[in-house]
Amino acid sequence: MMRHHFRHRVAVIAALAASVVGGSAHAAGRGGYAQQQGAQISQQQRPQQQRPQQATPKRAQTQVSDGAIAGVVSASNQLEISLATIARKQARSREVKDFAREMIESHTQAERRLSALLRRHRIQVQPTRVSAMLVGHAPLFAAYLRRQPAQKFDQAFMNAQVMTHRYQLRMLDEQLIPKAKEPALRQELQSMREEVVHHLERAQAIQANLAKQQQGR
């Protein structure tokens, strides 16, 4: 049940990113706002499907700012750092601990590069519904991991890493990279994509190794 809720929350973020990355900035009441959006997303999409003549969704997609993109990237970095910090303390496997350390270092460096880029090009971060959901759901993801039994934590963390990195790749490919206007930001997103692919491949390999170890017991 807990894993189902985790998968649902990550899927909601991905679905929202696919449609409203460039939506109006609503950062107030982050946690409650994020949960409200998660509950309303299916209702928001249904009327759009019933009224295909309306151009509102398409119009919203063309209004994505570099600041909005930066907000999503930053929130994603913070989410990965927070989850990896938990794993460094609770994981049993050395391989999982090393992966968690790599996530902390990689996403911390990515956040520093992003901050420096934004300063150089005078881009101001703009909160969006996607970044608000990432921030608001981070404590829920963390609570999910902390509640895992010690013998199941490593597998749960790696399952979560595979899911989150898949959706990060989807956001980069479908929304963030195509919508970036500043060439330097687009280049940074391309570099981030390469890192995400590497992280996903490593996460999948560790996930498979843990599954084999469980079967051999």
Side-chain angles (χ1 to χ4, degrees), residues 137-154:
H137 282 32
L140 303 176
F141 292 170
Y144 162 79
L145 289 178
R146 289 194 178 100
R147 283 197 287 264
Q148 294 303 305
Q151 66 272 21
K152 295 183 178 180
F153 179 88
D154 289 10

Side-chain angles (χ1 to χ4, degrees), residues 196-213:
V196 170
V197 170
H198 172 68
H199 294 165
L200 177 58
E201 290 175 349
R202 278 209 63 202
Q204 289 172 324
I206 297 173
Q207 181 189 48
N209 287 340
L210 291 174
K212 289 181 181 178
Q213 293 173 14

Side-chain angles (χ1 to χ4, degrees), residues 5 7 26 62 97 105 126 150 175 182 185 199 214:
H5 289 320
R7 292 175 65 90
H26 293 290
T62 64
K97 284 184 176 291
E105 294 175 354
Q126 176 189 359
Q175 293 292 325
E182 168 58 49
L185 177 60
H199 294 165
Q214 289 291 334

Side-chain angles (χ1 to χ4, degrees), residues 30 48 84 89 94 103 135 175 217:
R30 290 178 175 178
Q48 293 171 4
K89 297 178 181 178
R94 172 52 55 186
M103 291 302 98
V135 172
Q175 293 292 325
R217 292 177 181 175

Side-chain angles (χ1 to χ4, degrees), residues 133-177:
M133 286 194 72
L134 286 166
V135 172
H137 282 32
L140 303 176
F141 292 170
Y144 162 79
L145 289 178
R146 289 194 178 100
R147 283 197 287 264
Q148 294 303 305
Q151 66 272 21
K152 295 183 178 180
F153 179 88
D154 289 10
Q155 189 73 63
F157 174 69
M158 296 314 305
N159 291 344
Q161 288 297 293
V162 169
M163 283 189 287
T164 57
H165 281 87
R166 279 175 177 167
Y167 287 121
Q168 286 173 15
L169 191 59
R170 174 180 168 183
M171 284 194 293
L172 285 164
D173 286 344
E174 297 182 5
Q175 293 292 325
L176 304 183
I177 294 175

Side-chain angles (χ1 to χ4, degrees), residues 47-85:
Q48 293 171 4
Q49 295 172 354
Q50 292 173 353
R51 296 193 297 272
Q53 295 179 352
Q54 292 184 354
T56 302
K58 185 175 180 180
R59 181 180 178 185
Q61 288 182 353
T62 64
Q63 297 177 347
V64 181
S65 71
D66 286 347
I69 292 172
V72 172
V73 173
S74 181
S76 181
N77 283 332
Q78 294 300 327
L79 173 63
E80 291 296 344
I81 292 170
S82 66
L83 298 186
T85 299

Side-chain angles (χ1 to χ4, degrees), residues 187-203:
Q187 183 177 359
E188 176 63 27
L189 294 175
Q190 291 285 3
S191 298
M192 178 178 294
R193 186 190 188 281
E194 294 178 5
E195 292 182 358
V196 170
V197 170
H198 172 68
H199 294 165
L200 177 58
E201 290 175 349
R202 278 209 63 202

